[in-house]
Amino acid sequence: MSLHSGIPDAIAADVRHGERLEWWTLLWIGSVVVVMALVMGASQAMKSAVIEDVLSLIPAIVFLLSAHWERKRANARFPFGYRRANSLAFLVAATALLAVGGFLVYESITTLVRQEHPTVGGITLFGHTVWLGWLMMAALVYSIIPPVILGHLKHPVAKRIDDKVLHTDALMQKADWQTGVAAIAGIVGIGLGWWWADATAALIIALSIVKDAVTAIEKAVAELLDGSPRALDSKGLSNDAERLIAALKERFGDVEVRLRETGRYIAAEVDCASPPTLPTDVELLGREKAWRLASLSFRPG
C-alpha cells in the first residue's frame, strides 16, 4: 500500500468545511476581541478574557496552515508528503491552549495574593452616567455566543476527519465561553463588593483549561514520537487503531503489529512475511475509515 499524497477524497469536503469554520472563527473571535477591549476597564477577569480570546486564534490559524500544506504532494525533498504538518499544528494548538490556561492561573493567583481590589466605574453615554459593569457584561454575553456555536459545529467535523487540531480548537472555544461566564460572575462579584470574586472565577476556569491542555500536549508529543494512534478525547488507543490491530491479527495470526500516527493517518507494520495477496484498506478499517491507513508493511521474522 502506498502513502497518500494530499488529502483523500473521502474527507476532502469535511476538511474544507473545517477550514470554513476556522475562517468564521477568525472573523467572529476577532470582533469579540475588539468589543471586549473597548469596555475592559480594570477588571482582571475581563483582561484575562481579552488575552485568552487573542491566544484562542492560534489553533484556527495553524489548522488553516496545516490543511494548506497537507494538500501539497510528495516530492524529492519531502518523499512522504506533508502529512506531519497536522502533527506539528496539533502541538502548536495544544501549547497555545496551555499558554491560555497558564496565563489565567498566574494572573488570578497573583491578584488574590496581592489582594488587589478592582473597581468598575461609570461612563457617560448620551448625557447619562452608566455603570461600566453593565457594558462589560453585555460584551461578555456577546463573547460567549460565537464560541458556543463554533465549538458545537467543530466537534463532529473533527471526529469525522480525526483531526486533533480542530478538536483542540473546539476545546479552545469551550475555554472561551467558560472564561466569559467566569468574567460575568467576577463583575457581579465586584458590584457586590466581593473583591476576590473576579480572580477566583478566572482561576477555577483556568485550572480546567490547563488540564485539557496538558492532555493535548501529551498526545501531540506521542504523535511526533511515532506513538500509537490516540483517541481524540483521551490518551487511550483510538477505536480505529484497535480495529486495525484486530483485523491484522485475524488475517495473519498471533503476530506483532506496530502502529504509528502521522497527523490524521496511520502506518502499520506487521512482523511476518509479505503475503501474496495484500488485504485492502477497506477490508481492514471499513469503507468509512479506510482513508486513515497510509501504509502497510511487513517485516519477516
Side-chain angles (χ1 to χ4, degrees):
M1 292 186 182
S2 62
L3 294 170
H4 290 298
S5 294
I7 298 175
D9 293 337
I11 61 168
D14 276 327
V15 173
R16 288 194 296 270
H17 186 192
E19 289 177 293
R20 287 193 295 271
L21 288 174
E22 296 299 33
W23 281 115
W24 278 110
T25 297
L26 295 179
L27 174 65
W28 283 109
I29 302 302
S31 71
V32 166
V33 170
V34 173
V35 171
M36 297 273 283
L38 291 174
V39 299
M40 184 168 59
S43 168
Q44 180 60 48
M46 285 291 290
K47 177 183 176 183
S48 298
V50 171
I51 295 176
E52 189 269 342
D53 284 332
V54 172
L55 290 174
S56 72
L57 297 174
I58 295 176
I61 294 171
V62 296
F63 176 85
L64 291 170
L65 290 174
S66 68
H68 169 73
W69 281 97
E70 196 177 344
R71 287 191 176 90
K72 293 180 176 291
R73 304 188 68 83
N75 53 54
R77 293 184 61 197
F78 295 91
F80 294 98
Y82 294 85
R83 289 177 291 112
R84 275 200 190 276
N86 186 269
S87 301
L88 182 59
F90 178 33
L91 180 60
V92 174
T95 303
L97 188 62
L98 181 61
V100 167
F103 171 78
L104 294 177
V105 168
Y106 172 78
E107 290 291 311
S108 302
I109 290 178
T110 53
T111 298
L112 291 171
V113 169
R114 295 170 184 168
Q115 298 188 15
E116 297 176 358
H117 290 58
T119 58
V120 178
I123 186 174
T124 301
L125 292 176
F126 307 110
H128 298 281
T129 301
V130 180
W131 183 49
L132 189 57
W134 295 118
L135 297 181
M136 289 180 176
M137 286 190 283
L140 286 165
V141 169
Y142 172 67
S143 77
I144 290 171
I145 296 172
V148 169
I149 297 173
L150 290 167
H152 178 73
L153 293 175
K154 289 175 185 178
H155 267 297
V157 180
K159 186 175 181 180
R160 287 197 299 270
I161 64 178
D162 284 277
D163 196 296
K164 294 185 176 68
V165 183
L166 195 60
H167 178 73
T168 302
D169 194 23
L171 291 178
M172 186 72 86
Q173 304 304 309
K174 177 183 175 183
D176 278 349
W177 71 256
Q178 286 183 335
T179 302
V181 171
I184 291 174
I187 291 168
V188 171
I190 292 174
L192 295 174
W194 301 339
W195 67 268
W196 46 265
D198 192 38
T200 302
L203 178 60
I204 293 172
I205 299 302
L207 293 175
S208 175
I209 296 172
V210 168
K211 179 179 178 296
D212 288 339
V214 169
T215 300
I217 286 178
E218 288 177 352
K219 290 192 292 185
V221 171
E223 186 172 314
L224 288 171
L225 293 177
D226 288 336
S228 298
R230 304 307 203 263
L232 279 180
D233 53 1
S234 73
K235 293 186 287 187
L237 205 63
S238 70
N239 291 334
D240 292 338
E242 292 179 345
R243 180 178 181 179
L244 182 56
I245 291 172
L248 289 170
K249 286 182 177 291
E250 181 181 0
R251 182 71 176 263
F252 301 108
D254 188 19
V255 295
E256 184 176 352
V257 177
R258 285 179 294 278
L259 305 181
R260 61 182 175 84
E261 191 170 33
T262 302
R264 66 182 96 251
Y265 308 101
I266 299 174
E269 184 178 274
V270 184
D271 277 357
C272 71
S274 180
T277 304
L278 293 176
T280 66
D281 47 9
V282 175
E283 291 174 338
L284 295 174
L285 277 176
R287 189 169 302 279
E288 185 178 346
K289 288 299 183 73
W291 59 268
R292 290 205 73 191
L293 185 58
S295 66
L296 173 61
S297 58
F298 297 86
R299 190 177 71 171

